[in-house]
Amino acid sequence: MKRLTLLLGALLLTAAALAQTAVPPTVRIAHGPYVLNVTEDGFTVVWDAKADAIGWVELAPMDGSHFYSAERPRYYDSHLGLCRVGRMHRVRIEGLQPGTTYRYRIMQRGIVLNEGNRRVILDDGDGSEVYRRKPYTIRTLDPAQEKVDFWMVNDIHARDSVFQLLIKEAPEAQPDFVCLNGDLASQTETEQTLWDACLGSASKILTPAGIPLAVTRGNHENRGAYAQHWLDYFPTPTGETYYTFRRGPAFFIVLDGCEDKPDNDPRYYGMGDWNEYRRQQAEWLKGVVNSDEFRAAPVRIVLMHMIPGKEDSWYGEQQIRRLFVPELAGKGIDLMLCGHYHRYHWIDDGSRGVDFPILVNSNNDCLRVSADAKGIDLKVVNTAGAVIKQHRIDKK
Ligand SMILES: [Fe+2]
């Protein structure tokens, strides 16, 4: 009898151990979040889970209450009414008040078991900290804001340590946003690439400080096995890599110069259709520069990774000059900000067919811009925090 009891006990313990190992661990947040597309009434939050999960954002006002004092409204990462199952999550929150700061946290529940219509089991969930740390905050746009301050870095090419040095003062300086102007990595091979390149650091340094991102696609973002997932990371109002946004007095046009060599270059393996994409953008640009929003803005700035070329430039730059420049010249653009050359250039000699200055930022400096209805101040700041170039554009 004693032997039987022992055997039964051992069997029960084994069964309990097996049951324990059968339950997978809670799916944790892998990277992020970071914030994009801040408007007067909303913003977009993006993060990455370690395994398949559904995700949502909870929102709370800045009313002095504890985040846990009430059930907070949820904004799901859903599409066509169904929560999206996956690792990358993006949630658009809308219907907010302008010029107002909100608190938020990201939440997710991992998929423990998915037997389709028969049974789906979610785990107990993971989320950003609101107990030991302050919840994240973000401020919606204030239409009365008369000045915009923003920073721009480009051509990081996965040198995350350089990126960290370039943006480390941002939480204290509080720019309205940080622009990543292309070539975050050299090729996007996996889901991890962009996080390792600089997005993980951008999330850690900028998000707790309430600073959103504005992102342009560089030519290198077209390369690699995971390149097709760009919009999973950087959703835009247009669903394309070209779009516009307003911040304070400035209207921004974000353009995608696409690749730098001809579409049939062997390096693109017959996968490129960038001539057509640039043509499509040029058509769209006609409408943008004739819009009331563009015309009414006191300041107009173009953000693009590549640069309108000279006669002897590479193919992509020549196409930008042929297709984009005619739509931009004579339309009242104040400034174009680019990267790509990995060296600083100030081009205001009309050599690129435009009637506005072009600042090409190097791959090792941060450009800090302040703009209002009177003009634009530009400072190029190196990794040591020293101002190495300065420009002033007075509005006529
Ligand atoms: Fe580059």
Side-chain angles (χ1 to χ4, degrees), residues 223-240:
R223 304 178 193 177
Y226 213 72
Q228 310 227 349
H229 293 268
W230 179 256
L231 283 183
D232 293 353
Y233 294 79
F234 307 112
T236 67
T238 56
E240 306 287 345

Side-chain angles (χ1 to χ4, degrees), residues 170-192:
E172 205 186 316
Q174 283 287 306
D176 290 307
F177 66 91
V178 170
C179 171
L180 309 180
N181 199 350
D183 287 8
L184 284 61
S186 296
Q187 61 275 323
T188 311
E189 298 293 2
T190 71
E191 186 181 325
Q192 186 72 19

Side-chain angles (χ1 to χ4, degrees), residues 41-295:
D41 74 337
F43 62 100
T44 301
V45 186
V46 182
W47 76 96
D48 187 31
K50 287 199 169 173
D52 280 356
I54 64 161
W56 69 90
V57 171
E58 294 175 358
L59 194 76
M62 292 289 278
D63 57 3
S65 67
H66 196 278
F67 204 91
Y68 285 146
S69 69
E71 192 175 332
R72 305 301 183 181
R74 290 181 175 192
Y75 299 80
Y76 283 95
D77 175 18
S78 67
H79 183 60
L80 309 176
L82 196 59
C83 284
R84 204 191 310 259
V85 174
R87 294 192 298 272
M88 282 297 295
H89 291 288
R90 50 203 179 277
V91 175
R92 178 77 191 161
I93 293 111
E94 282 185 345
L96 309 181
Q97 295 301 310
T100 306
T101 302
Y102 291 88
R103 296 175 290 167
Y104 68 94
R105 74 164 167 176
I106 58 169
M107 288 295 298
Q108 64 185 32
R109 288 183 71 185
I111 309 296
V112 176
L113 186 74
N114 190 349
E115 294 178 346
N117 195 39
R118 187 165 167 261
R119 182 170 51 171
V120 179
I121 300 175
L122 304 177
D123 70 17
D124 53 345
D126 188 26
S128 54
E129 185 62 71
V130 292
Y131 180 56
R132 287 177 205 85
R133 276 192 249 154
K134 282 202 291 188
Y136 296 127
T137 58
I138 195 75
R139 188 170 172 78
T140 55
L141 297 197
D142 181 353
Q145 186 183 325
E146 290 181 348
K147 189 168 160 250
V148 61
D149 296 305
F150 67 96
W151 291 15
M152 185 185 94
V153 296
N154 47 274
D155 299 280
I156 293 300
H157 288 280
R159 295 167 306 139
D160 185 47
S161 55
V162 174
F163 177 73
Q164 288 181 40
L165 287 174
L166 292 175
I167 64 158
K168 73 169 195 257
E169 289 171 16
E172 205 186 316
Q174 283 287 306
D176 290 307
F177 66 91
V178 170
C179 171
L180 309 180
N181 199 350
D183 287 8
L184 284 61
S186 296
Q187 61 275 323
T188 311
E189 298 293 2
T190 71
E191 186 181 325
Q192 186 72 19
T193 304
L194 295 172
W195 293 109
D196 289 346
C198 64
L199 273 184
S201 295
S203 304
K204 278 190 195 116
I205 296 169
L206 302 176
T207 307
I211 303 167
L213 296 174
V215 184
T216 81
R217 188 169 72 153
N219 56 306
H220 279 265
E221 264 82 53
N222 291 281
R223 304 178 193 177
Y226 213 72
Q228 310 227 349
H229 293 268
W230 179 256
L231 283 183
D232 293 353
Y233 294 79
F234 307 112
T236 67
T238 56
E240 306 287 345
T241 50
Y242 52 87
Y243 58 101
T244 65
F245 65 97
R246 174 88 186 231
R247 188 93 205 198
F251 185 90
F252 293 89
I253 303 177
V254 175
L255 293 173
D256 182 350
C258 300
E259 269 291 4
D260 52 0
K261 294 177 276 298
D263 288 6
N264 66 358
D265 189 273
R267 197 167 176 182
Y268 305 142
Y269 314 106
M271 300 287 281
D273 190 24
W274 298 292
N275 278 336
E276 172 55 23
Y277 203 53
R278 279 186 292 253
R279 190 202 61 73
Q280 189 181 312
Q281 275 182 84
E283 276 306 309
W284 167 83
L285 204 43
K286 283 183 212 293
V288 168
V289 296
N290 284 313
S291 68
D292 292 341
E293 295 93 327
F294 174 84
R295 288 178 171 174

